[in-house]
């Protein structure tokens, strides 16, 4: 298994618990078995999916960016808001398990 090293990014990989092929820039989490799935509402976020794969294959995700990571907004977000996952793995404003702060404002 090869893992891509991107300058300034910290990349991790794990077996997909579900089909994540169309989920680039969505939040992901790890389940009790260490498998990667789309992050749920207020979940503890493992990272942002960079290359999603089908169930049973390995998905790559970024755990930290330098200086930032992109994420799909699920609702309006203002600059400097704390960002967490909504029920669909998209970013929303909130302080329960935030992954970071918004560098820019965004619409859903």
């Amino acid at each position: 298994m090869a893992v891509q090293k991107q300058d300034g990014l910290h990349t991790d990989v794990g077996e997909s618990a579900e089909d994540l092929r169309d989920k680039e820039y969505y939040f992901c989490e790890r389940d009790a078995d260490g498998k990667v799935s789309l992050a749920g509402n207020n979940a503890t976020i493992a990272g942002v999916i960079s290359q999603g794969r089908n169930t049973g294959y390995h998905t790559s995700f970024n755990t930290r960016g330098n200086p930032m990571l992109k994420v799909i907004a699920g609702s309006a977000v203002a600059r400097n808001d704390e960002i967490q996952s909504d029920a669909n793995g998209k970013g929303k404003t909130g302080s329960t398990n935030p992954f970071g702060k918004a560098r820019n404002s965004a619409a859903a």
Side-chain angles (χ1 to χ4, degrees):
M1 170 180 64
V3 175
Q4 180 180 2
K5 170 73 169 124
Q6 299 177 3
D7 219 17
L9 293 175
H10 295 261
T11 305
D12 200 354
V13 66
E15 184 180 339
S16 299
E18 60 186 295
D19 186 354
L20 300 172
R21 288 178 288 182
D22 296 324
K23 301 301 181 187
E24 183 177 17
Y25 302 122
Y26 283 67
F27 285 127
C28 65
E29 63 181 325
R30 286 191 181 265
D31 64 18
D33 295 326
K35 293 183 180 180
V36 178
S37 61
L38 207 56
N41 194 38
N42 303 333
T44 300
I45 299 167
V48 177
I49 297 171
S50 57
Q51 190 172 30
R53 300 289 187 186
N54 204 352
T55 307
Y57 292 91
H58 286 85
T59 287
S60 296
F61 57 96
N62 297 314
T63 59
R64 189 172 69 184
N66 185 17
M68 65 183 138
L69 293 173
K70 294 178 187 177
V71 68
I72 302 292
S75 60
V77 174
R79 187 172 188 258
N80 291 322
D81 281 351
E82 287 187 315
I83 304 300
Q84 64 186 48
S85 178
D86 71 7
N88 301 308
K90 296 179 181 179
K92 72 172 184 175
T93 300
S95 58
T96 305
N97 296 321
F99 190 69
K101 290 192 175 190
R103 296 276 306 251
N104 299 300
S105 297

